[in-house]
Amino acid sequence: FPSHDISLSLWRRQCGHRYAIRAGRNLPDKEFRYLRTVIEAGKKLGKRARIHLEVDTGMSRGGALREWIPLCNRAKQAADAGHVQVVGLWSHFARADEPGEKFNDEQIANFNLRVSDAKESGLEPELIHLGNSAATINDKRAHHDLVRIGISMYGLSPSVETMGGSTFGGSVTSVNLLS
């Protein structure tokens, strides 16, 4: 999924926004300050930054909350000016590892409302993504355009109740020798 997402922590540690923009990478956006930084970097580079806007639907650790609609409006203005391309809208579950948890239903409903708000502001993102590892397994309503399998990618269960490993299998379909 490298061409579709880059985590904020990875972005801060390994590639500053200028390098990410220059490489055409997608950047998460959680707040106005960050949006301003990305716009200015894109202007200096003469490139359009590709961003994913994050809305807080209940995880309470990242994403726009009350400022969601103003953030979408500002991102739309920046997109119209050619400074950014809003590639995606996303959020993260607080309790997706608990199937049947009522709060998951509330987060899905809240996310869908925020996506509608963003589209009403004129944004037309290519990707809508909500599902994390647990939601990928437990709730198809969270799948949208892509899912983000974090801990599951390493064969670990996203559930604290079943912390044993998982196994993914597949077939090799192609091998290329590089010289």
Side-chain angles (χ1 to χ4, degrees):
F1 294 51
S3 65
H4 290 295
D5 200 7
I6 183 170
S7 74
L8 185 59
S9 59
L10 175 66
W11 170 76
R12 284 187 174 151
R13 284 193 315 268
Q14 294 181 351
C15 59
H17 51 276
R18 290 185 181 143
Y19 299 106
I21 294 168
R22 194 175 287 131
R25 299 299 301 261
N26 298 341
L27 301 167
D29 197 349
K30 301 179 180 195
E31 56 189 55
F32 283 111
R33 181 182 58 194
Y34 181 70
L35 181 59
R36 282 193 301 267
T37 301
V38 169
I39 289 170
E40 289 307 312
K43 284 180 184 178
K44 287 178 184 173
L45 294 169
K47 292 195 103 168
R48 190 175 204 177
R50 296 170 50 89
I51 61 172
H52 291 242
L53 299 179
E54 181 184 9
V55 62
D56 185 342
T57 58
M59 182 72 178
S60 299
R61 78 167 184 208
L65 195 55
R66 289 182 199 95
E67 68 279 8
W68 176 247
I69 292 173
L71 177 64
C72 290
N73 290 335
R74 180 65 184 110
K76 173 65 172 145
Q77 291 170 349
D80 289 347
H83 302 307
V84 300
Q85 178 185 359
V86 179
V87 178
L89 305 175
W90 70 291
S91 189
H92 197 68
F93 278 102
R95 300 177 72 178
D97 59 332
E98 301 174 51
E101 169 57 46
K102 191 165 185 72
F103 191 60
N104 295 332
D105 296 332
E106 293 174 25
Q107 279 197 267
I108 290 170
N110 191 10
F111 181 70
N112 291 335
L113 283 172
R114 299 304 150 239
V115 169
S116 294
D117 290 341
K119 289 182 177 180
E120 285 177 21
S121 75
L123 296 176
E124 298 176 8
E126 299 168 20
L127 302 168
I128 306 294
H129 47 112
L130 176 61
N132 56 6
S133 289
T136 299
I137 296 165
N138 296 326
D139 199 333
K140 290 183 180 181
R141 297 173 303 159
H143 290 187
H144 296 282
D145 297 315
L146 67 86
V147 293
R148 301 179 313 272
I149 55 168
I151 195 166
S152 293
M153 183 170 48
Y154 302 102
L156 299 174
S157 172
S159 172
V160 293
E161 295 163 358
T162 59
M163 283 306 281
S166 303
T167 304
F168 290 96
S171 302
V172 176
T173 59
S174 176
V175 175
N176 294 316
L177 298 174
L178 302 175
S179 50

